[in-house]
Amino acid sequence: MTTASSKAQCFICHKDKIVYHCEGCLKDFCLSHITEHREKLRIELNEIKIDRDIFQQAIEQERHKPENFSVIERINQWEENSIGKIKQTAEQCRQMLIKYPNDQLLIVEKKFYQIIEQIKQFQQDNDFNEIDLNQLRNKLTHLTKQLIQPLNISIRHNTLPSAFLNEISIISTAQIKWKQEGTTVIGKNGKGQQLNQLNCPNGIFIDTYKRIFIADRNNHRIIQWKSDGQEGECIAGGYEKGNEIFQLNYPSEILIDQENMSLIIADQGNRRIMRWSIREKKNPEILLSNIDCSHLAMDKDGYIYISDHVNHEVTRWKENETERILVAGGNGKGGQLNQLNNPSFLYVDENNSIYISDRDNHRIIKWRKDAREGIIVAGGNGQGKNLNQLSSPQGIILNHLGQIYIADSDNHRIMCWYEGSREGAVVIGNNRSGKQSNQLDQPHGLSFDSEGDFYVADYANHRIQKFEISFD
């Protein structure tokens, strides 16, 4: 905007003329020079318009950059994967809720059938009194209450680090109890190498036929024992310690490959993993060699998980794959959440989360699939025998509701922990080593049978103990 004024000196020609004042630059110009000044301003405006058009084009280019669409695709993929995981977790929780009453019903039915057999025996022998009848009534009353009691289960929200969405899981505070007096099903004849003896049993597995498979560590063999048998059968090794194809050297763990009807054995002393046919009991083969293998686990997809006690890590491997994949630890020996210290027994759940007996850290640590560090689900409060502590944990097994059972080896007890709880509960053992039926000495491997009875590889007592579900 310019305005005419009285005569004054022009800023350009320095002559006294009628001048026009520019409100923008606050200078005075004669008529000819104000025209030039305005023309310069119009030229500058056009240059700005050109810059504007160029910038508008740049905006459109940015909006349609290929990498933007790539990021959008990644966001879409994240959305799809997240929804998939949520649906998978929800379905698993639903299946748990469906399965849990059925499992509880099986336990009640087992107890009921025992009462039926007891009644038959009384009738057959015609030898019973009021005390016997009162005990039967009390057992029936107890079973009735157990049958109709509401499910003692709930949903737990697990807040994950750096997550905006809580993960849920089903938990049950109902504590299954086992008789504290165990029965020696294998090893009644003490330490030895006969087929009715064991020498430091380590890993244990029970199949649906109640056959018991044992890594009889210091006898360098795998024993199969039928539930009603008086002695076992050597189905792998048993040719003294050695590294020939038919020999084993301190085997520590066994898996049953149902698809191939074969044993997968951690031949720890020979630093190899072997396959041994169950049917033929011959033609063993070496699956992996030159590997420090403490214990093994297998997931639903057939991947084998290997705890490496020398390199303090857990790796995953499948036949026909050339390399093992690191899935836990691998950051040197230590007690941080991304480290392990002498890992031993393993358990893999339906989500491919790995539960690791981190033995010399006196804790159970859980590594979710593809996680960079684990979370402590039991122990982790130093070595000790308090209910929030463990001491050199060994065997580990979970039930279908995620309750964690641990062979707390140096405390000579079996503990049950719920993920997220601050302490566990002792379910078997009394913190003192011993040979009595209610005692353990360095328990190692754990297993359940189809009826829910608990089996413990009682390592230093050279026996397998069976603990039946309790009526009380």
Side-chain angles (χ1 to χ4, degrees):
M1 178 73 67
T2 56
T3 56
S5 62
S6 58
K7 288 186 177 182
Q9 191 178 69
C10 173
F11 177 74
I12 300 297
C13 63
H14 305 294
K15 295 179 180 180
D16 290 332
K17 293 182 178 181
I18 296 176
V19 293
Y20 298 85
H21 184 72
C22 177
E23 296 292 337
C25 64
L26 302 179
K27 295 181 175 63
D28 298 324
F29 301 92
C30 65
L31 180 60
S32 60
H33 289 117
I34 191 65
T35 303
E36 292 178 2
H37 182 64
R38 294 298 301 169
E39 184 62 27
K40 287 181 180 179
L41 292 180
R42 278 192 293 272
I43 292 172
E44 288 184 16
L45 177 61
N46 288 333
E47 291 175 349
I48 292 173
K49 288 170 64 178
I50 292 172
D51 291 339
R52 176 206 62 188
D53 294 339
I54 293 173
F55 187 76
Q56 187 171 7
Q57 292 177 1
I59 289 176
E60 293 301 318
Q61 289 174 355
E62 286 295 321
R63 180 177 289 117
H64 296 93
K65 269 189 175 180
E67 52 263 38
N68 291 346
F69 291 104
S70 175
V71 173
I72 291 173
E73 285 299 317
R74 287 162 56 191
I75 293 171
N76 293 342
Q77 189 64 50
W78 169 84
E79 178 186 32
E80 183 179 341
N81 292 343
S82 298
I83 292 173
K85 289 179 181 178
I86 291 170
K87 288 183 176 179
Q88 180 183 19
T89 300
E91 180 59 24
Q92 287 170 350
C93 290
R94 282 190 287 266
Q95 292 302 319
M96 285 181 181
L97 287 175
I98 293 170
K99 189 175 186 297
Y100 180 69
N102 292 334
D103 286 354
Q104 293 299 98
L105 185 59
L106 288 174
I107 294 171
V108 171
E109 282 183 326
K110 177 187 175 183
K111 295 176 181 179
F112 180 59
Y113 291 143
Q114 290 176 354
I115 293 175
I116 291 174
E117 291 301 318
Q118 195 171 0
I119 292 173
K120 288 181 180 178
Q121 192 66 44
F122 284 160
Q123 290 176 326
Q124 180 179 334
D125 297 340
N126 195 24
D127 183 17
F128 55 91
N129 55 33
E130 291 83 356
I131 295 175
D132 296 323
L133 296 179
N134 284 333
Q135 287 179 344
L136 285 175
R137 287 194 188 94
N138 290 336
K139 287 180 179 179
L140 280 170
T141 301
H142 177 78
L143 279 184
T144 301
K145 291 180 180 179
Q146 190 172 349
L147 182 64
I148 64 175
Q149 70 180 358
L151 297 178
N152 194 6
I153 55 180
S154 61
I155 292 178
R156 180 180 61 223
H157 294 268
N158 307 317
T159 302
L160 302 177
S162 304
F164 68 89
L165 184 67
N166 287 345
E167 184 182 83
I168 68 167
S169 57
I170 299 296
I171 62 170
S172 170
T173 56
Q175 179 63 63
I176 299 174
K177 294 182 180 180
W178 290 271
K179 293 178 181 179
Q180 293 302 297
E181 301 287 333
T183 302
T184 302
V185 292
I186 305 173
K188 297 177 183 178
N189 298 290
K191 175 182 177 181
Q193 58 184 0
Q194 302 302 314
L195 289 176
N196 60 1
Q197 294 177 306
L198 298 171
N199 188 351
C200 295
N202 204 337
I204 178 174
F205 181 88
I206 301 175
D207 68 8
T208 54
Y209 303 103
K210 288 191 176 181
R211 294 178 298 183
I212 306 171
F213 298 85
I214 308 150
D216 192 11
R217 179 180 172 82
N218 287 11
N219 278 328
H220 315 290
R221 65 188 182 185
I222 306 299
I223 290 287
Q224 174 186 305
W225 197 289
K226 296 180 180 178
S227 58
D228 57 352
Q230 297 301 309
E231 64 178 31
E233 176 187 4
C234 180
I235 58 174
Y239 295 96
E240 301 295 336
K241 177 175 70 172
N243 59 7
E244 299 296 329
I245 192 68
F246 284 97
Q247 292 179 304
L248 297 173
N249 186 355
Y250 296 109
S252 56
E253 185 69 270
I254 43 172
L255 302 176
I256 307 297
D257 185 346
Q258 300 285 2
E259 183 177 344
N260 297 304
M261 287 303 295
S262 62
L263 305 172
I264 298 175
I265 304 169
D267 190 11
Q268 185 175 359
N270 283 324
R271 301 182 65 245
R272 65 189 183 186
I273 296 174
M274 301 195 68
R275 180 187 295 281
W276 217 294
S277 172
I278 295 176
R279 292 193 185 99
E280 299 177 0
K281 303 180 183 63
K282 62 181 181 179
N283 299 327
E285 60 176 316
I286 299 172
L287 298 179
L288 286 174
S289 58
N290 298 318
I291 176 174
D292 294 298
C293 48
S294 175
H295 288 85
L296 308 173
M298 182 182 288
D299 67 19
K300 61 182 182 294
D301 299 315
Y303 282 92
I304 298 172
Y305 295 74
I306 306 154
S307 62
D308 185 335
H309 58 289
V310 174
N311 294 305
H312 311 286
E313 64 185 22
V314 177
T315 55
R316 184 182 69 208
W317 176 81
K318 194 172 186 179
E319 283 192 72
N320 302 321
E321 292 188 353
T322 57
E323 296 183 356
R324 291 179 289 130
I325 299 173
L326 178 70
V327 293
N331 295 297
K333 174 181 176 181
Q336 301 300 315
L337 291 179
N338 67 345
Q339 294 179 304
L340 299 170
N341 188 353
N342 200 351
S344 58
F345 284 82
L346 305 172
Y347 184 90
V348 182
D349 69 12
E350 288 296 314
N351 298 317
N352 290 342
S353 293
I354 314 160
Y355 294 78
I356 306 166
S357 281
D358 193 10
R359 198 187 78 174
D360 289 352
N361 279 325
H362 312 290
R363 66 188 184 185
I364 305 299
I365 191 164
K366 173 183 177 181
W367 286 66
R368 290 185 172 88
K369 185 179 179 181
D370 300 326
R372 294 185 178 181
E373 63 179 31
I375 57 173
I376 298 171
V377 294
N381 296 298
Q383 183 178 16
K385 59 182 179 181
N386 295 325
L387 292 180
N388 68 342
Q389 294 178 304
L390 299 170
S391 182
S392 300
Q394 293 284 358
I396 180 172
I397 191 170
L398 275 68
N399 65 10
H400 63 278
L401 285 176
Q403 295 169 336
I404 308 166
Y405 293 90
I406 305 159
D408 191 12
S409 183
D410 285 355
N411 282 325
H412 316 290
R413 65 189 184 186
I414 309 300
M415 296 195 74
C416 176
W417 285 67
Y418 308 96
E419 186 174 334
S421 61
R422 295 183 178 180
E423 62 180 32
V426 179
V427 294
I428 296 171
N430 58 9
N431 294 337
R432 294 189 300 273
S433 64
K435 298 182 179 180
Q436 302 302 315
S437 59
N438 65 342
Q439 293 179 308
L440 300 169
D441 194 347
Q442 296 182 25
H444 276 51
L446 305 176
S447 188
F448 295 116
D449 67 15
S450 57
E451 295 181 344
D453 293 330
F454 211 149
Y455 292 74
V456 180
D458 196 7
Y459 185 83
N461 278 328
H462 315 288
R463 64 186 183 182
I464 305 299
Q465 290 291 93
K466 175 184 177 180
F467 295 89
E468 295 183 349
I469 291 178
S470 173
F471 278 99
D472 301 326

